[in-house]
Amino acid sequence: MQTIRVKTPSSGTTQDTGQGPGRDLLPLLAGAATVVGAVGAVLAFADADSPLRGPLTLFFLLAAPSAAIAAALRGLEPFGRVLASAAGGVAVNMLVAQGMLALHQWSMPGGIAAVTALSTLMLLLVLVRRLRGRTSSRRAS
């Protein structure tokens, strides 16, 4: 029988420092998604005649509420967080569309503005909650 030993990494490797080629990928992708979403919203508001207007606007309409909901679901596991935030993003879009249609106020710029306002409000509420939690924990110590 053979014994397999796990070698511990030496102190000079990239695993020890937490830096490596894959560590900077997530912030880069988040920044790219933000730019793509912002361009989609601007193209939709400007009513630009571009073939990219439809896909980029759809990306914005799905990504903005999903990102705000994902920020609120910080404690979930990654797969559950992605699934719940994507479903929540679709639900926010459907509720905005249904509400605007029921009030006979439907317009494409109005719908995008409503989704933007709701997403911003959700994100601000999450940030306020986190800041309030930090100040109360600082007072307790």
Side-chain angles (χ1 to χ4, degrees):
M1 189 180 333
Q2 202 174 22
T3 304
I4 299 174
R5 294 187 180 146
V6 178
K7 295 182 181 179
T8 58
S10 63
S11 62
T13 63
T14 59
Q15 291 178 354
D16 232 19
T17 61
Q19 297 175 354
R23 292 292 284 181
D24 294 334
L25 188 60
L26 190 61
L28 179 67
L29 289 176
T34 303
V35 168
V36 167
V39 167
V42 168
L43 285 175
F45 278 125
D47 201 23
D49 193 23
S50 171
L52 293 177
R53 184 178 102 184
L56 295 182
T57 303
L58 180 63
F59 178 78
F60 172 76
L61 287 174
L62 291 174
S66 296
I69 293 171
L73 301 175
R74 192 173 176 185
L76 287 181
E77 293 183 12
F79 180 71
R81 187 177 179 184
V82 167
L83 190 64
S85 65
V90 170
V92 166
N93 285 313
M94 288 174 48
L95 288 171
V96 166
Q98 185 177 8
M100 291 182 78
L101 286 172
L103 296 172
H104 302 289
Q105 297 295 321
W106 173 252
S107 69
M108 186 180 64
I112 294 170
V115 169
T116 303
L118 286 174
S119 301
T120 304
L121 180 66
M122 284 188 284
L123 191 59
L124 287 175
L125 288 174
V126 169
L127 292 174
V128 165
R129 188 181 69 184
R130 286 187 187 161
L131 288 175
R132 188 175 292 173
R134 285 183 184 170
T135 56
S136 65
S137 65
R138 286 183 184 169
R139 289 179 188 167
S141 54

